Amino acid sequence: MTRNRRSGLAVLAAGLALLLAGCGGPASTATSGPTRNLEVLSWWTSGSERAALNVLFDDFRTAHPGVDVRNAAVAGGGGSNAHVVLANRLLGGDPPDVWQTHPGASIEQYIDAGQIADVSSIYQHDKLSSVTRQDLRQAVSRDGKQYGVSTGAHRINMLWFNKRLLDKATVTVPAGGYTADALLNDLAKLKAAGVVPLCLGAKDPFASAELFENTLLGVIGADGWASLTSDRLNWNGPQVRQALGRFGTMLDYADPEAGALTWDQATRKLAAGECAFESMNDSAYGELVVDGAKEGTDFDYVPYPGTDNLFLTVVDTFVMAKNAKDPQNAQAFLATIATAPTQLAFNKLKGSAPLRTDVDVRSLPPYQQSAAKAFAQDPVLLSITHGEAKSPQFQQGFYDAIAAFAQSKDINVFNQALLDAVNQVPPPPH
Ligand code: GAL
């Protein structure tokens, strides 16, 4: 980050903190005065995640030099372990000041439980309301109040590929309109050429879940997604059967080492030319860059088959504990995330598109510029894999059903696991 950007940011954040203090924002609910600490819990520990998280910390520290920031990140892609640690800390009445979550059902659980603070004042003072998509703002709101600040939007429905391996197997480089049948043909060709066709980090359950989610979206489209999220999708019907059939075939082409690999390790294999295709949200972009791979030369990408012009998203959102130990710092950290310079610098490393639509993205690489454009103009769909579109209980059932199907390749086993999860979902609170 340049000196100018840093000092501009410091002034902006300091001004914002003053404004918030004067206007009785959420920090005014604090029982204590200023403190010198801030604890932030996330699951960002891979190379690109860590670098991007450090942008948030650095920008916060520049504006608040006296504050000691504790990075309480817990490794585990998609938050698998962080969620457990967080749940235990919430249960024990010892929440971190700030934690990572997602819009929709994920943040709702904390709003329902009264565990997070209203941070609407950040939206008012930073004009965040006028530069964020209404649907995504809605997804972090309850009764007109905002409860989280988002860094950026990842596009899930992306397919990445190693260009040299495709070349080796004389596979034509995919372009828009690439179909599921074409992908399956290409996977077969790669296998015949002695190449590992599909990269997969199956040690992180979210990676297989994204592969299935993308495959399902490719079959049911945006209308089907609307049915799914409103519980009208027939999980036993021909479309789900078709998606599961394709998913099963794809698993047959997956890296035999997949079970021992995390999502970022699988992505590193793509960068190194050890496997050819990967279905992964564009966290993969940040990771490929960290791995030294060059867009257009070493790797390229295409929307996942059947999902052109759709933006299935995982949005990262930060919330502050209602009973935070360091409420003023927590509030100021969220205010830092909300600024345009921080969003630009953060997303550049993370691979995602800034949530603020007024960020000038011309300094981002071509992929990210195209993703930012797609985010601005395409229908944005919330994800099941990341607990946005459906409850965390349903999300868990989805993971269980996918794991059970991967073993059995039996749709009845898939449906039973999902049904078990749905039956466990408690009725919505009144
Ligand atoms: C998602 C998160 C992304 C990404 C991925 C892997 O939940 O939104 O930012 O890094 O997990 O950890």
Side-chain angles (χ1 to χ4, degrees), residues 267-302:
T267 305
R268 196 171 311 140
K269 287 189 81 170
L270 190 150
E274 293 169 22
C275 52
F277 278 102
E278 186 182 19
S279 155
M280 173 52 57
N281 77 71
D282 55 18
S283 298
Y285 186 84
E287 209 58 27
L288 285 165
V289 172
V290 158
D291 293 336
K294 298 264 174 301
E295 172 177 357
T297 314
D298 301 318
F299 74 91
D300 246 319
Y301 45 83
V302 72

Side-chain angles (χ1 to χ4, degrees), residues 20 33 46 74 130 179 189 206 214 251 257 388 407:
L20 292 170
S46 79
V74 182
S130 55
T179 64
K189 255 180 125 173
F206 89 91
N214 280 337
L251 290 179
E257 291 178 7
E388 296 169 335
Q407 290 295 320

Side-chain angles (χ1 to χ4, degrees), residues 43-46 48-49 76-79 83 100-102 154 204 206 210 263 280-281 283 314-316 346 350 352 386 388:
W43 51 89
W44 284 340
T45 58
S46 79
S48 62
E49 291 174 331
H83 288 132
Q100 178 186 1
T101 185
H102 299 301
H154 281 290
D204 287 324
F206 89 91
E210 280 194 3
W263 73 275
M280 173 52 57
N281 77 71
S283 298
V314 52
V315 172
D316 294 302
F346 169 87
K350 189 69 178 70
S352 38
H386 296 281
E388 296 169 335

Side-chain angles (χ1 to χ4, degrees), residues 191-400:
K191 190 173 182 180
V195 170
V196 174
L198 189 68
C199 315
L200 183 65
K203 196 172 168 188
D204 287 324
F206 89 91
S208 307
E210 280 194 3
L211 175 63
F212 176 63
E213 188 172 39
N214 280 337
T215 309
L216 182 62
L217 178 62
V219 174
I220 67 178
D223 289 347
W225 207 254
S227 304
L228 191 170
T229 54
S230 56
D231 293 328
R232 287 179 288 114
L233 182 74
N234 178 3
W235 286 97
N236 225 345
Q239 289 186 309
V240 176
R241 284 176 185 273
Q242 185 181 35
L244 279 171
R246 282 181 185 165
F247 174 63
T249 310
M250 286 192 211
L251 290 179
D252 293 340
Y253 289 113
D255 186 346
E257 291 178 7
L261 300 173
T262 58
W263 73 275
D264 50 314
Q265 288 171 333
T267 305
R268 196 171 311 140
K269 287 189 81 170
L270 190 150
E274 293 169 22
C275 52
F277 278 102
E278 186 182 19
S279 155
M280 173 52 57
N281 77 71
D282 55 18
S283 298
Y285 186 84
E287 209 58 27
L288 285 165
V289 172
V290 158
D291 293 336
K294 298 264 174 301
E295 172 177 357
T297 314
D298 301 318
F299 74 91
D300 246 319
Y301 45 83
V302 72
Y304 194 85
T307 70
D308 292 63
N309 306 320
L310 295 176
F311 196 106
L312 179 64
T313 198
V314 52
V315 172
D316 294 302
T317 301
F318 285 83
V319 296
M320 68 178 266
K322 204 171 212 170
N323 56 343
K325 294 183 197 76
D326 307 292
Q328 295 191 3
N329 297 334
Q331 167 92 0
F333 182 72
L334 263 51
T336 300
I337 292 177
T339 62
T342 297
Q343 292 229 333
L344 180 63
F346 169 87
N347 285 288
K348 185 169 191 166
L349 298 176
K350 189 69 178 70
S352 38
L355 205 85
R356 289 180 70 115
T357 51
D358 62 339
V359 173
D360 183 350
V361 294
R362 281 174 300 179
S363 62
L364 295 181
Y367 168 71
Q368 286 183 285
Q369 289 192 38
S370 67
K373 196 167 162 214
F375 178 58
Q377 70 190 27
D378 291 345
V380 170
L381 310 174
L382 294 182
S383 153
I384 303 170
T385 297
H386 296 281
E388 296 169 335
K390 305 289 287 174
S391 70
Q393 290 90 331
F394 188 95
Q395 174 194 17
Q396 187 55 52
F398 191 65
Y399 282 28
D400 292 347

Side-chain angles (χ1 to χ4, degrees), residues 18-149:
L18 273 176
L19 264 172
L20 292 170
C23 295
S28 64
T29 57
T31 49
S32 56
T35 61
R36 299 184 68 80
N37 299 306
L38 173 70
E39 189 187 20
V40 178
L41 188 145
S42 75
W43 51 89
W44 284 340
T45 58
S46 79
S48 62
E49 291 174 331
R50 213 176 329 113
L53 180 60
N54 278 335
V55 168
L56 305 183
F57 291 156
D58 287 350
D59 285 2
F60 172 78
R61 283 192 192 106
T62 304
H64 305 275
V67 178
D68 192 12
V69 181
R70 176 160 187 263
N71 179 3
V74 182
S80 50
N81 301 325
H83 288 132
V84 178
V85 170
L86 176 64
N88 283 330
R89 290 192 57 174
L90 287 170
L91 211 60
D94 174 36
D97 295 309
V98 169
W99 66 86
Q100 178 186 1
T101 185
H102 299 301
S106 282
I107 196 170
E108 272 166 24
Q109 67 187 310
Y110 306 120
I111 301 175
D112 288 342
Q115 289 161 327
I116 54 177
D118 167 8
V119 295
S120 308
S121 59
I122 295 175
Y123 281 76
Q124 288 146 21
H125 290 297
D126 206 19
K127 299 204 169 40
L128 204 53
S129 297
S130 55
V131 293
T132 43
R133 288 178 62 111
Q134 205 257 341
D135 50 357
L136 291 178
R137 210 167 52 249
Q138 202 57 43
V140 298
S141 302
R142 169 78 57 85
D143 299 332
K145 295 174 183 158
Q146 283 74 49
Y147 286 87
V149 176

